[in-house]
Amino acid sequence: ASRGLRRTIFIFAEQSSSSRLARLYAMTMLGLIFVSTASFICESLPRYNAIPETCHAGGEVTPQNCEPRPDDTFWVVEAVCIVAFTIDYILRILTVHALEPAECRISLRIASASPWRRTGLYALQWLNIIDLSTILPFFVELLVPGAANAGLTVLRLARLMRIFRVLRMPKVRSCLTMFTKVMRDALPALALCMGMTLMAGIFFAICIEYAEGATYSVDFDPERYPLGVYVRPTVDGRALEPTPYRCALYALWWFFVTATTVGYGDDYPTTFMGRTIGVLTFYAGIVMLALPINVVSSAFKEHYPIWMAKVRALNARQKASISGELDE
């Protein structure tokens, strides 16, 4: 194939704004991403999983024989999507060398790189690594019998990374760039806030540990605790119970759950002093949550108008491209 044809193929597969047909192709790939992701989610529902016949037929009862398996329809959907993703990936990898480095987001400092090196640098871009990581698990499970039961099930989780393929859409990619700049500008202030939060967390964790676990008893349930245990009053104050706050690190978990107002309810103070510390933690958490929000909000207000201007320019280019095709 000529260099011009290879260049056309790459631009068609990579740049959705290049033509109306390329936009349709990009929307098709986006649809396949959502279909495969929806299939992956539905595949986890119990109603679509069944115990294999080998287990019902009186075979050996083992995890390999009796583990529920999803319906075969999900495998067909997965196979169709993987074939489409693989073709798209191969087309871009095999034709990227026909472009100039700047056209495929390769640093201009290596503009004189050979076609092989140019292809390798393009393949190592993080979006292309994501593409490859979403394709490989399917073929590994297909080529390696029993891979799903041999400790390689984590590979299947990599399939979910395909949702990040939507970042190939120019608008979505520019949005990610904007958020990256927002977080970069807010990072110094956020780091300071995180440091102050950690200091406050250590302080309140030690306070709750001493408030709820300072009493040691050798008489409480001697059968379970023959050498004694730290105790605290129960919720109604009429009895004693072992305290859950036995170390500052565990109490630090309680601090973050309480300060962020999540409140799982797995552990809570029962003493007057402990509840007082809990109330102070509530208010400290509100302040510590408000500070990072204001910092990020200020950076967002600075970069959002710039991003909107880029989106409008991209929309204008797409409309001009489509209008040009219609005129032809």
Side-chain angles (χ1 to χ4, degrees):
S2 65
R3 180 184 178 91
L5 177 59
R6 283 173 284 168
R7 186 176 185 279
T8 301
I9 293 174
F10 179 87
I11 293 178
F12 169 79
E14 177 77 8
Q15 301 177 11
S16 61
S17 60
S18 60
S19 66
R20 185 168 55 176
L21 189 60
R23 183 175 178 81
L24 178 61
Y25 174 79
M27 295 304 296
T28 301
M29 297 302 297
L30 183 63
L32 289 176
I33 292 172
F34 287 120
V35 167
S36 62
T37 304
S39 174
F40 187 86
I41 295 174
C42 293
E43 183 181 329
S44 65
L45 297 177
R47 70 175 67 181
Y48 298 125
N49 285 261
I51 296 176
E53 293 296 332
T54 54
C55 186
H56 289 297
E60 184 181 1
V61 180
T62 63
Q64 290 75 17
N65 291 337
C66 297
E67 182 180 5
R69 292 178 173 81
D71 190 86
D72 292 339
T73 304
F74 295 109
W75 188 91
V76 175
V77 173
E78 177 72 7
V80 171
C81 294
I82 287 295
V83 169
F85 296 150
T86 303
I87 293 174
D88 174 73
Y89 179 80
I90 292 176
L91 281 177
R92 289 185 285 104
I93 291 296
L94 293 182
T95 57
V96 66
H97 63 275
L99 280 78
E100 295 299 324
E103 295 179 294
C104 48
R105 299 187 297 277
I106 296 177
S107 175
L108 292 176
R109 291 177 298 175
I110 48 177
S112 60
S114 64
W116 286 105
R117 187 181 181 189
R118 197 175 304 174
T119 301
L121 292 172
Y122 175 76
L124 290 177
Q125 291 179 355
W126 67 277
L127 280 176
N128 296 315
I129 293 176
I130 289 177
D131 290 345
L132 184 61
S133 65
T134 60
I135 295 170
L136 283 181
F138 177 84
F139 293 105
V140 170
E141 293 183 8
L142 192 66
L143 298 177
V144 181
N149 298 321
L152 297 179
T153 52
V154 67
L155 292 177
R156 299 180 68 245
L157 297 178
R159 294 189 303 170
L160 278 180
M161 293 184 66
R162 72 188 54 169
I163 194 67
F164 293 108
R165 286 176 57 96
V166 300
L167 296 176
R168 290 197 171 277
M169 304 293 289
K171 292 180 183 178
V172 180
R173 189 163 59 238
S174 65
C175 182
L176 176 65
T177 302
M178 179 197 67
F179 276 107
T180 302
K181 293 179 179 179
V182 168
M183 296 307 298
R184 182 191 62 195
D185 291 351
L187 187 58
L190 289 177
L192 180 61
C193 291
M194 288 296 295
M196 297 299 295
T197 301
L198 184 59
M199 292 174 58
I202 294 174
F203 173 76
F204 283 108
I206 294 175
C207 288
I208 197 69
E209 179 191 2
Y210 281 100
E212 294 282 315
T215 304
Y216 191 81
S217 174
V218 294
D219 300 322
F220 179 82
D221 198 352
E223 293 185 0
R224 294 180 58 189
Y225 308 100
L227 301 179
V229 65
Y230 284 97
V231 296
R232 67 173 185 176
T234 56
V235 175
D236 57 13
R238 298 179 180 180
L240 297 176
E241 64 181 5
T243 179
Y245 305 101
R246 280 307 313 121
C247 70
L249 287 179
Y250 185 82
L252 193 62
W253 157 258
W254 169 86
F255 165 79
F256 283 109
V257 171
T258 304
T260 55
T261 67
V262 174
Y264 287 123
D266 48 355
D267 291 314
Y268 46 85
T270 60
T271 65
F272 173 79
M273 186 61 65
R275 289 170 175 170
T276 302
I277 294 172
V279 172
L280 295 177
T281 304
F282 298 154
Y283 286 103
I286 293 173
V287 174
M288 287 183 289
L289 285 176
L291 291 176
I293 292 175
N294 288 334
V295 170
V296 175
S297 176
S298 299
F300 183 81
K301 290 178 181 179
E302 178 182 350
H303 290 281
Y304 181 74
I306 300 175
W307 174 71
M308 283 301 301
K310 292 181 179 179
V311 170
R312 294 191 188 97
L314 179 61
N315 290 336
R317 288 197 300 269
Q318 289 179 343
K319 291 180 180 179
S321 176
I322 294 175
S323 300
E325 291 181 355
L326 294 177
D327 293 339
E328 293 178 2

